[in-house]
Amino acid sequence: LYAVGGNAIKRYVLSAAGDAVVRTEVFARDHERFNDPRCLHIQDGWLYVLANIELDPVSFGNGREGRTQPLTDSFVIQYRLPP
């Protein structure tokens, strides 16, 4: 099981029954193109991640401070998954 967020891609290792996470591993962190990476896709032994999702500054409606600078261009980054 893979997830992306916090400028990292993480792999969650599941129990033999597949009903619990037994370990979390950082698969990739702080890639030079990451700037709010999102959107994972896995196909044919490859993991693809969208390096960022917003080109304009964002304002959060819940009072959290948003970014004031635009993000970098979007990139799709691919990683070969281990067998």
Side-chain angles (χ1 to χ4, degrees), residues 1-36:
L1 179 63
Y2 290 87
V4 64
N7 238 31
I9 299 170
K10 294 180 182 174
R11 178 176 176 249
Y12 297 99
V13 179
L14 302 178
S15 66
D19 59 356
V21 174
V22 295
R23 187 172 71 250
T24 302
E25 302 170 348
V26 175
F27 182 79
R29 180 181 303 279
D30 296 328
H31 184 282
E32 65 184 27
R33 299 286 188 192
F34 279 2
N35 194 342
D36 197 17

Side-chain angles (χ1 to χ4, degrees), residues 34-54:
F34 279 2
N35 194 342
D36 197 17
R38 306 283 176 98
C39 304
L40 285 178
H41 177 78
I42 296 174
Q43 184 174 352
D44 298 328
W46 289 91
L47 181 147
Y48 302 88
V49 61
L50 187 59
N52 70 53
I53 61 169
E54 298 167 357

